[in-house]
Amino acid sequence: MRYIRHCVLAAMAAILAPAVAVPAHAMTNGQPVDDPTAAPWVATLAFANGSALVPDTAPLLQRATCGGALITPTRVLTAAHCLDRVDPSGLEVHINARVLSEERGVVRRVAGVSVLPGYEVLPSPVDPTDANLASARNDLAIVVLDRAVTSVPPIPVAAVAPQPGASVSLFSHGSTGSSGPDFRNDVLHRGDLTVIDHATCQAQTPATVDAESVTCAEDYQTGVNVCYQDSGSPIVQYHDDGPVLVGVMSFGGETAGKPCADTPQPVAFATVPRFRAWAHQPTPALEPYPARQPRIAGIAQVGKRLRCVAPTWDIWRGGMPDHISYGWATVTRVGPFAIPTPIEGADEPTFVPTAAHATSALTCQVTAANRAGASQAQAPPVTVASEIAAESYAR
C-alpha cells in the first residue's frame, strides 16, 4: 500500500510540476554527498520498462522508487513494503547511481524477492482505512540480483543494533516534499540522526511502533525528515573500520499526519542487525515470480463476460503460489500516466462490464502469495465497447 502511494506521488508531482523551480528542502534538510567514494553500496530500485503509473520513456529520476543497500555481491536489502504486491520481473536495481538524471550506476535485474517472515502493515488506530497513517513490523526484504556486482564493495550488516544516543546516517534519493520539478533528490543525500528510545518514539505518533523490529532516530538541530521514496534507504553507523548497515527506512512523520517539510519527526527504520542471519541465509525462500503478464480473454463489451488469465510462474526465480487472488480496475489516462482505480467488489477471475464501464479502459490484476511474500502482475488494458457501438460495428 505504501509503495503504491509513493508511485502516485512521483507521477502526480511530475504532472503538476510548474515551469519555474520552487524552493524545497532536501530529504528534507539533508546534505548532498559530494565525495564520489562515499556510500557506493547505495541501491535504487526502479521500474525497468515503466509501469502503470510511470511511462517507459521516463528518465531514471522518475522511474526510481525505493532505496536499498548492497549487502553481498548478489543481494540488496530494502523495505518489504517497497515490494509488497509488486511485479519483480518489471524492476531493476541501480547500484551507486549518485546523480539519477546523469548516471545509471551498475544495473541489475531482479532474480527473486524474499520478504522477512512476520512482515505486516499495521493499520493506524486513528484511521485504519488510511494507508498513509499505517506503520509496519518486520519491514525487510531481500532482493536477489540476476548477476553479481563485482565493482562495488557491499556494506557489512552490523552485528549489534544501535543504542539510544548513537549517531547514525541515512543515505537516499527520496522526495523533497515539493510538488515542483525538484520533487525528488536527484543527487544522493545524507542526513545525520541520533537514535532515540522506543518510548520517546512511540509518544510522537499514534501509529504502532513495534519494539521488536523497529528502531527510531531523529534530528532536531538541522531538521532532517524523511519523505516518500526514502523507503528502503540505508541507515548506517560509522565505526573506526568503516560503516555498517543498521537499518532500512520504514516510516516517518506521515504516520502522525505530518508533511515532509514540517517540524522534525522520528525516522523509524527496520532494525537490520536483529535479522542478520536471515539476511545472509544461503537459500532464501522466494515469492512467486510471474513469467509473463496476465491477459484478459473474451470480448470487451458491455454485458459480455471477461476472464482474467493468470500468468505462468518462473520456478527458477520464485516459488509456486500458495494462494492467488484477482482484482479488476479501470485505467484513467493523465498525460503520459495510466492510473488504475480498483472496481469495488470485482475480485473474481471473471467480470461483466456494465454500462458504467462503456468506453473505459479495463485491466485485471493477479496477486500471488506464498510464505516468502506476495507479487502482483497486471494485464494490458482493454477498452470496453458499448452495446450500441458493437452492434454498429457488426453491421
Side-chain angles (χ1 to χ4, degrees), residues 24-70:
H25 299 294
M27 186 188 279
T28 52
N29 294 329
Q31 296 297 318
V33 180
D34 299 322
D35 182 356
T37 65
W41 25 260
V42 170
T44 302
L45 278 62
F47 297 113
N49 302 308
S51 73
L53 296 175
V54 182
D56 57 6
T57 56
L60 176 59
L61 182 63
Q62 292 181 10
R63 291 188 294 107
T65 59
C66 291
L70 184 73

Side-chain angles (χ1 to χ4, degrees), residues 38-43 68-71 95-96 152-155 171 234 236 238 243 245:
W41 25 260
V42 170
L70 184 73
I71 62 168
I95 309 296
N96 199 25
V152 176
I155 183 172
F171 290 87
V236 307
Y238 284 89
L245 183 69

Side-chain angles (χ1 to χ4, degrees), residues 27-203:
M27 186 188 279
T28 52
N29 294 329
Q31 296 297 318
V33 180
D34 299 322
D35 182 356
T37 65
W41 25 260
V42 170
T44 302
L45 278 62
F47 297 113
N49 302 308
S51 73
L53 296 175
V54 182
D56 57 6
T57 56
L60 176 59
L61 182 63
Q62 292 181 10
R63 291 188 294 107
T65 59
C66 291
L70 184 73
I71 62 168
T72 78
T74 58
R75 290 188 190 182
V76 162
L77 206 60
T78 188
H81 76 255
C82 289
L83 298 169
D84 190 24
R85 292 168 175 76
V86 172
D87 184 351
S89 68
L91 293 175
E92 63 188 10
V93 182
H94 298 252
I95 309 296
N96 199 25
R98 313 185 71 80
V99 183
L100 298 183
S101 65
E102 298 178 2
E103 54 190 280
R104 289 168 53 82
V106 180
V107 185
R108 296 290 184 265
R109 295 301 292 259
V110 175
V113 170
S114 184
V115 171
L116 178 64
Y119 160 67
E120 183 182 6
V121 173
L122 303 174
S124 171
V126 173
D127 184 357
T129 66
D130 188 347
N132 290 295
L133 301 178
S135 59
R137 66 161 55 98
N138 288 17
D139 194 8
L140 281 175
I142 297 168
V143 178
V144 181
L145 307 179
D146 65 345
R147 288 178 293 133
V149 175
T150 58
S151 58
V152 176
I155 183 172
V157 174
V160 180
Q163 297 303 304
S167 297
V168 296
S169 297
L170 166 69
F171 290 87
S172 81
H173 284 282
S175 299
T176 61
S178 166
S179 62
D182 52 353
F183 72 94
R184 183 165 198 158
N185 288 321
D186 188 9
V187 178
L188 179 65
H189 274 63
R190 169 178 171 167
D192 296 325
L193 306 158
T194 300
V195 175
I196 59 177
D197 61 51
H198 177 263
T200 302
C201 183
Q202 182 64 83

Side-chain angles (χ1 to χ4, degrees), residues 22 36 40 53 61 95 99 125 134 215 246 318 349 366 372 378 388:
V22 295
L53 296 175
L61 182 63
I95 309 296
V99 183
T215 300
V246 296
V366 180
Q378 182 168 295
I388 297 176

